[in-house]
Amino acid sequence: MVEPARTAPSKPASLSESLTRRLEDLILDGTLKPGGKVPSERQLSERLGVSRNSLREALKMLRGRGLIETRHGQGSVVTGLVPRLHQEGPLMLLYQEHPRILYDLLEVRELLEGRAAFLAAERAREIDLNRIAHAFRALEAPPHDTDPEEVARCDHAFHQSIYEASNNPVLIHTLESLLQPMRQSVVASVKNLYHRTASKKQIDRHHRQIYHAIVGRQPEWAEKAARAHIRDIRSRLQEIEKEEQRLDRSTSWERMIGS
Amino acid sequence: MVEPARTAPSKPASLSESLTRRLEDLILDGTLKPGGKVPSERQLSERLGVSRNSLREALKMLRGRGLIETRHGQGSVVTGLVPRLHQEGPLMLLYQEHPRILYDLLEVRELLEGRAAFLAAERAREIDLNRIAHAFRALEAPPHDTDPEEVARCDHAFHQSIYEASNNPVLIHTLESLLQPMRQSVVASVKNLYHRTASKKQIDRHHRQIYHAIVGRQPEWAEKAARAHIRDIRSRLQEIEKEEQRLDRSTSWERMIGS
DNA sequence: ACAAACACACTGGTACTACCAGTTTACTGT
DNA sequence: ACAGTAAACTGGTAGTACCAGTGTGTTTGT
């Protein structure tokens, strides 16, 4: 049987949960300013009329979402709105602490996007090809004067137009559910890669290869090019990470996302 | 000056935090399966040797990240990395009316299971191999006297043990979210295939090939065999469907699922 | 007078107990 | 056989006591 609606609007919810929401609201409306200190647990719990236990659980929840940071003996501080971007999915939050799963993701992505390119080259309809062509032109058009953010968006749109042309709903839905939650980070990584002219040239080359293979109805080439593309990105990210680990101890992701 | 690292690699951290990581790992490596129930708090806290309090805080953190869902009086369940595809529906409902997307699914499955077999042959640990061997024996053991339902279950368990051995969380969760919602129907289809001795022999042959390739550490063979297996199933189903369409107008799926 | 050492008052972190509140299960009485 | 209830789960809150870092005073040694 179908279970009752999973997302009731305005749950009565548990106390710790409603506490979480109250604190979130306080952060959002500026009562608790980013960078500012959160009142101590004992203080808050008394003022809100709840046990320190429940209050702590609410704080843990906020901490899990990256809204506050806590240091033993000092207190908690509001981290600000930037982490709010990561709110989009479990994958996103998780891979900040387990960077390895980014490579696992790229491994799967190589498979799926490769196949998507193959299928696109094989069965794309005219309207699909038009969309791809449009996205491709947007990607190639302005070699300068565009902000990296926009370029990254176009990059994503290009890939999207391709796997949507595969006409395989399962494939589309799977890729969508994999990529969409991490869109922000993908944007960040692409932005990072585009900074390096060598990387950019190679990426553009791959994009061209994929595009022409698809419009030229060359499934095998398209798949090969798409897989090479993802593999290339994967190894470049790996390279960058190693590099940064050599320079300082912070991982590349912090600064990519941090800004 | 950049503020101190937000995600220091391997902090000694607090207990509840390390608990969070441990649980995350359990989810990532598939010990805690998406959709599966998390042991009760009292149980877990005792087994891990920590207070229920700390454990609860760890769970709250996971809950804040959307990795688990908790219901009063029932317990917690793992939600998975990938949003459960179509749990309430689109796919499941859709494909009853449009059987074609079953083939789309098998297309994606061929990719993913092929790669999973490859990775399993490459990086399976002993415990993984043991699980695979166990599932394989259960699948081969009794050539008769078992009901088709049970055989189908073993079949699924075998495939599951393989992709769980891939040690790629993204791959595992993707396949899980693809297959689990349709498990009923897959069971039905396999049950159907097993009725035909010719099909059964070929399927068993494929299973053996996959198994030996994995335990023999032959990634390429494993992938080839796994893909051939899915492809074979796909074509056989297609065959059956055509057959039944010739016999009467009702598609095979209605009766398979209908029961 | 200066600086190191200490004591104390914070902060969050863990533990344990007791109890409340939903769910499920199993037993009971009709 | 069935309905109804009691008990045994489940998670949720509360409260206390104590441990462990952190900062800030005061005291103490030179």
Side-chain angles (χ1 to χ4, degrees):
Chain A
M1 279 314 135
V2 172
E3 48 209 338
R6 135 173 6 149
T7 337
S10 82
K11 309 175 209 180
S14 59
L15 177 54
S16 64
E17 199 166 332
S18 59
L19 278 178
T20 306
R21 296 187 71 92
R22 281 175 71 177
L23 292 174
E24 270 178 353
D25 288 340
L26 289 181
I27 293 176
L28 286 179
D29 71 16
T31 306
L32 293 178
K33 294 177 182 61
K37 286 181 59 176
V38 178
S40 77
E41 296 179 350
R42 289 171 175 87
Q43 210 172 321
L44 260 183
S45 64
E46 188 174 6
R47 274 188 34 185
L48 296 177
V50 301
S51 76
R52 185 157 85 104
N53 232 326
S54 305
L55 193 267
R56 273 181 66 78
E57 290 185 356
L59 288 179
K60 283 289 176 186
M61 208 126 50
L62 292 180
R63 204 174 123 353
R65 295 184 191 175
L67 280 174
I68 65 173
E69 258 178 42
T70 306
R71 269 183 288 262
H72 195 158
Q74 291 177 254
S76 298
V77 294
V78 180
T79 56
L81 312 137
V82 180
R84 198 115 189 93
L85 294 178
H86 318 185
Q87 176 113 14
E88 312 194 25
L91 256 183
M92 185 62 196
L93 289 168
L94 205 57
Y95 99 109
Q96 293 178 43
E97 304 186 19
H98 304 258
R100 136 172 150 58
I101 86 166
L102 176 68
Y103 298 105
D104 293 334
L105 171 70
L106 286 172
E107 196 167 73
V108 175
R109 218 186 132 181
E110 179 190 332
L111 276 181
L112 297 177
E113 292 224 37
R115 185 64 182 174
F118 181 96
L119 293 177
E122 201 176 55
R123 13 166 135 146
R125 298 157 303 181
E126 306 86 80
I127 187 173
D128 297 322
L129 290 178
N130 286 339
R131 265 202 282 268
I132 295 175
H134 182 272
F136 180 67
R137 274 194 299 272
L139 192 57
E140 279 230 312
H144 35 62
D145 86 82
T146 7
D147 76 311
E149 190 92 16
E150 179 63 15
V151 176
R153 231 184 41 72
C154 289
D155 184 291
H156 180 76
F158 177 61
H159 286 268
Q160 191 172 25
S161 71
I162 290 176
Y163 66 67
E164 278 179 354
S166 72
N167 281 300
N168 178 331
V170 178
L171 184 55
I172 295 174
H173 196 142
T174 302
L175 265 170
E176 196 77 39
S177 72
L178 275 179
L179 296 186
Q180 192 257 2
M182 319 188 66
R183 210 178 142 285
Q184 304 297 336
S185 65
V186 172
V187 164
S189 65
V190 173
K191 177 161 47 174
N192 195 316
L193 286 182
Y194 266 93
H195 281 158
R196 323 188 162 217
T197 43
S199 293
K200 178 164 171 32
K201 288 193 81 162
Q202 174 67 355
I203 289 176
D204 286 341
R205 220 169 66 85
H206 277 145
H207 282 160
R208 272 195 297 276
Q209 282 180 359
I210 297 172
Y211 174 70
H212 288 122
I214 291 178
V215 299
R217 300 289 189 184
Q218 303 286 350
E220 282 86 3
W221 293 7
E223 173 164 15
K224 239 185 240 307
R227 295 186 65 143
H229 176 51
I230 304 288
R231 217 163 25 231
D232 177 59
I233 288 181
R234 186 160 177 264
S235 62
R236 282 175 195 279
L237 286 177
Q238 213 154 12
E239 199 57 37
I240 291 179
E241 187 168 352
K242 271 187 202 157
E243 212 170 280
E244 301 218 351
Q245 266 179 357
R246 241 172 327 183
L247 291 180
D248 57 32
R249 311 291 302 173
S250 75
T251 78
S252 59
W253 298 107
E254 290 170 19
R255 77 179 33 158
M256 281 194 200
I257 297 164
S259 86
Chain B
M1 194 52 182
V2 172
E3 48 208 338
R6 145 174 349 142
T7 337
S10 80
K11 291 181 230 189
S14 60
L15 177 55
S16 65
E17 199 167 332
S18 59
L19 277 179
T20 307
R21 293 186 71 95
R22 282 176 72 178
L23 292 174
E24 275 176 354
D25 288 338
L26 287 182
I27 293 176
L28 283 178
D29 71 15
T31 305
L32 293 178
K33 294 179 183 57
K37 285 182 59 176
V38 178
S40 77
E41 297 179 349
R42 290 171 174 87
Q43 210 172 321
L44 259 185
S45 64
E46 189 174 6
R47 273 186 34 183
L48 297 177
V50 300
S51 76
R52 184 156 84 104
N53 230 326
S54 305
L55 176 65
R56 272 182 66 79
E57 291 185 356
L59 289 178
K60 283 289 176 187
M61 209 127 48
L62 292 180
R63 206 173 119 355
R65 298 185 188 179
L67 281 174
I68 63 174
E69 264 178 36
T70 305
R71 272 186 285 263
H72 194 158
Q74 292 179 255
S76 299
V77 295
V78 180
T79 55
L81 302 178
V82 180
R84 206 134 242 43
L85 282 194
H86 349 310
Q87 127 187 34
E88 20 196 305
L91 198 100
M92 195 60 188
L93 294 174
L94 202 62
Y95 106 108
Q96 291 180 37
E97 307 178 18
H98 304 270
R100 133 171 153 59
I101 88 164
L102 175 68
Y103 300 106
D104 292 334
L105 172 69
L106 286 172
E107 196 167 70
V108 175
R109 218 186 131 180
E110 180 190 332
L111 275 182
L112 297 177
E113 293 224 38
R115 185 64 183 174
F118 182 96
L119 293 177
E122 200 175 54
R123 11 167 137 146
R125 299 158 302 182
E126 305 85 79
I127 187 173
D128 296 323
L129 290 178
N130 285 340
R131 267 201 282 266
I132 294 175
H134 182 272
F136 180 66
R137 275 194 297 272
L139 192 57
E140 279 230 311
H144 34 61
D145 86 80
T146 6
D147 76 310
E149 190 92 17
E150 178 63 14
V151 176
R153 230 184 42 73
C154 288
D155 185 292
H156 181 74
F158 177 61
H159 286 268
Q160 190 173 28
S161 71
I162 291 176
Y163 66 67
E164 278 179 356
S166 72
N167 282 301
N168 179 330
V170 178
L171 184 55
I172 295 174
H173 282 240
T174 303
L175 266 169
E176 196 80 37
S177 76
L178 275 179
L179 297 186
Q180 197 254 1
M182 319 187 68
R183 208 174 144 286
Q184 309 299 334
S185 62
V186 172
V187 164
S189 65
V190 173
K191 179 160 46 173
N192 194 317
L193 285 182
Y194 266 92
H195 281 158
R196 324 185 160 219
T197 42
S199 294
K200 177 163 171 34
K201 287 192 81 162
Q202 174 66 356
I203 289 177
D204 286 340
R205 219 170 67 84
H206 277 144
H207 282 162
R208 272 195 297 276
Q209 282 178 0
I210 298 173
Y211 174 70
H212 289 121
I214 290 179
V215 299
R217 300 289 189 187
Q218 304 284 352
E220 283 86 4
W221 293 8
E223 174 164 15
K224 239 184 241 308
R227 295 186 66 144
H229 176 52
I230 305 287
R231 215 161 28 230
D232 176 59
I233 288 180
R234 188 161 176 259
S235 64
R236 282 176 195 278
L237 286 177
Q238 215 153 13
E239 199 58 37
I240 291 178
E241 185 169 355
K242 271 187 200 155
E243 212 170 280
E244 302 217 352
Q245 264 178 359
R246 240 173 329 190
L247 291 180
D248 58 30
R249 311 291 302 171
S250 75
T251 77
S252 60
W253 300 110
E254 289 171 18
R255 79 177 35 156
M256 282 194 197
I257 297 166
S259 83

